[in-house]
Structures are given as structure tokens and as C-alpha cells.
Amino acid sequence: MSKPIAVVFCPGRGAYGREELSFIARHHRPGPIADALAEADAARPEDLTITRLDSADQFRPGVHLQGVNAAELIYFSTLFHLDQLREHYDIVAVAGNSMGWYTSLAASGALDAQRGWRLIRSMAELQLEIDGGQVLTTCVDESWQPDLSARQELEAALVTTNAKGADHFVAHSIYLGGHRVIGGTDRGITALLEELSKRKIGDREFPFQLAGNGPFHTALCQDTAKAAQDRLASLQLDQPRVHLIDGLGNAHTPWSADPSGLLEYTTTRQVLEPFDFTASVRTALREFNPDVLLCVGPGQSLRAPVGHVVLSEQYRGIKTREALFESGLVRTD
């Protein structure tokens, strides 16, 4: 019996929360990922190993959400989870949201687990040096349909905020389905939050500032990009074993991907330009016709953004949020 065809989406920062404690322990199995985790643990203080943080009795936001800790927790959680899911699905393509792009390089086979950890740790350390933050807002309504007024308000607020001067810089950071992530300086983020109306979608009220996140994927990351090119110049990428979809919606194939081009994109372009996760999902639907869209790893942060794109594409005739939920198309398994 053939396995369902699946495309995998790897989560970005913020996916590992209170409910995810022991996620790694529950999915851990011997092999290359476990070996890479052991190496990561050995490089950390004994009381801050990834294994110990994951198995902690209590979630401590100041520790678990700290940049490097969160990045490595999410990275290993996702790889262990995906390793199990391969037994049940025919995975034909991999994509990721923001930090999830780094994970997707390992998930696709362009990096092994150890080199993927090196990339994750390096980028997390470099991004700690950036001042600024991110705001998450939404441009869809309760039914996950486009809200034109919300989009217009956001664009007007960006213009108004930037007009206050360079120290109020704000710009699109991530196109996240019907959501938008905006990156900017501290003053810009504060001013933008004052400009935008409050909108409640389900149990969530938008907009809000993302805890511990810098202004990733914006021009404020120039120094990060330069440092990443220097630090990761020797990082060896391979041809991916499955299709790899980047943050521009481009699919890199196992037979034609350019490893050096993937490294340049990873350390430069996606650091400085908006990450279009929406385009990644759109390409997954149009190019691979998957039976299942797998949001792997800790948390469920990508379920809604992926669902937004399914509805906008009317993929397989799915036009409503209710029909999407009934279809079982988007899974976290």
C-alpha cells in the first residue's frame, strides 16, 4: 500500500512553548540526529544542555525562549519528529518558515544533522546582536478570508511610522499566509503597535510583539549577513535528496540544486529580504499536488498560515475554513 504524498513545513522561532516540554524526549531515537544532539549538549554548560532544557519540570520563558536555546530546541525537535513521520509518508518536498529554512536544509539532506546544528547555532548567535523586534498582525477575518481593510491599514501604518525617521524603521519581514510579520527598530515597533487597530481572531488578539525576536529578514540585518558569510564560508552543502522550497517560492531539485547558491541565499538574501512563506506553500501545492501538508516539529504555529494559503488557492476545491478542517489536509501528526 502506497504512502500519502506529503510536503513538510519546518517551524520558525517561537514554536517551542510550555506545552512542548519533553517533545525531544518523546521522539528521540538512536541515529545521526541523536549523535548531533549529543555533540550539541557537549558544547553547552551542563545545566543548559538541550536534553536538560527539554526535560525540565518547568517552562522558563527567560531560558527556553532565549535565542540560541529556542533555535536548538526547535531544530532537534523537528528533525526527530520528521524522522518518525518518514515511516508513514512519502515526503517529496521540504520548506520552512524563517528559521525553519535552516532546518529544512537538514531535513532535505542538503546538510547532515551535525552541520545543520552548526548553521542553526551560528545564525542564532549572530542574530542576538541585532537591536529591534518583530510584530505579528493579520490580514484575514474569522473565516480566514482576506480582509482588505486590514491590509490597507497595515500599509498605511508602515508609511506613517517610517515617516517619523530612520530610528522608526519598519518593514515587511515574513509573509505568513494571511498573517504578516513586521520587523523594525524598537521605536518603530512601538509606534507601529500604536497605529494598528486591535483585531481578535479566535482566541488571539492581533497585533502583538513576538517575544525575543529581532528584525529578521530586513535591511537592519546587514551586519548579520556579513558576519554569517564569514563564519559559514566553509560550511559544505550537498545536493538535497528531496525537493527544497526556499523563501522566494523557488524549488531546488535533487538533480539541479546549486549548493553554493543555497549557501549564499542562506547567509545573505534571506537574511536581508522578506521571507515569503506564502510563496513556499503556494509552490508546494502547485508543483507537488500533495495529499498531506505536514507541519512538523514542536507547536502548531504553521497550521493557520498553511491553511490560509490552501483557501486562497482553493486547493482541491477547499474554499472554507470548515471544509479545510474536515479534509484533514493540514496535519501535525
Side-chain angles (χ1 to χ4, degrees), residues 11-246:
R13 286 276 295 275
Y16 193 101
R18 193 178 310 277
E19 295 77 16
E20 278 67 59
L21 284 176
S22 297
F23 191 96
I24 291 174
R26 293 195 300 273
H27 296 87
H28 188 283
R29 57 171 64 181
I33 303 169
D35 294 342
L37 174 60
E39 185 173 347
D41 280 348
R44 289 171 152 267
E46 187 176 348
D47 61 334
L48 289 176
T49 65
I50 296 303
T51 299
R52 180 164 290 190
L53 289 174
D54 177 69
S55 60
D57 294 332
Q58 190 172 21
F59 185 80
R60 293 184 290 163
V63 176
H64 287 87
L65 298 182
Q66 190 273 341
V68 178
N69 295 342
E72 295 188 42
L73 281 165
I74 294 164
Y75 172 72
F76 284 110
S77 292
T78 299
L79 289 191
F80 276 121
H81 189 204
L82 179 57
D83 193 40
Q84 293 187 6
L85 293 177
R86 292 186 195 280
E87 299 173 0
H88 308 290
Y89 297 99
D90 178 11
I91 296 169
V92 297
V94 179
N97 172 45
S98 189
M99 189 212 89
W101 164 252
Y102 310 143
T103 310
S104 73
L105 289 168
S108 71
L111 290 172
D112 60 25
Q114 192 277 340
R115 282 177 286 152
W117 164 65
R118 177 187 167 197
L119 171 62
I120 284 282
R121 184 173 182 85
S122 295
M123 295 305 294
E125 288 176 341
L126 291 173
Q127 289 171 345
L128 286 176
E129 301 172 8
I130 315 169
D131 292 327
Q134 285 181 326
V135 165
L136 178 63
T137 189
T138 192
C139 296
V140 293
D141 61 20
E142 285 272 7
S143 300
W144 291 4
Q145 300 300 323
D147 186 334
L148 180 58
S149 65
R151 190 178 305 172
Q152 291 172 333
E153 182 192 56
L154 174 60
E155 295 303 327
L158 290 172
V159 172
T160 299
T161 303
N162 278 304
K164 298 179 185 292
D167 61 343
H168 283 71
F169 174 86
V170 284
H172 286 284
S173 171
I174 307 172
Y175 296 100
L176 193 59
H179 299 332
R180 298 289 183 273
V181 178
I182 307 299
T185 62
D186 291 328
R187 287 188 176 184
I189 293 299
T190 299
L192 183 68
L193 287 169
E194 293 173 352
E195 291 284 339
L196 294 172
S197 303
K198 295 291 186 182
R199 286 182 167 82
K200 192 165 186 179
I201 306 294
D203 295 330
R204 256 184 165 182
E205 186 174 74
F206 297 90
F208 58 89
Q209 186 166 355
L210 295 168
N213 283 22
F216 313 140
H217 317 297
T218 74
L220 295 176
C221 296
Q222 292 284 350
D223 290 344
T224 300
K226 292 176 184 177
Q229 286 181 300
D230 292 339
R231 185 185 291 198
L232 296 167
S234 63
L235 185 66
Q236 181 65 48
L237 270 69
D238 304 316
Q239 296 286 129
R241 292 194 294 271
V242 297
H243 294 82
L244 178 62
I245 307 172
D246 65 25

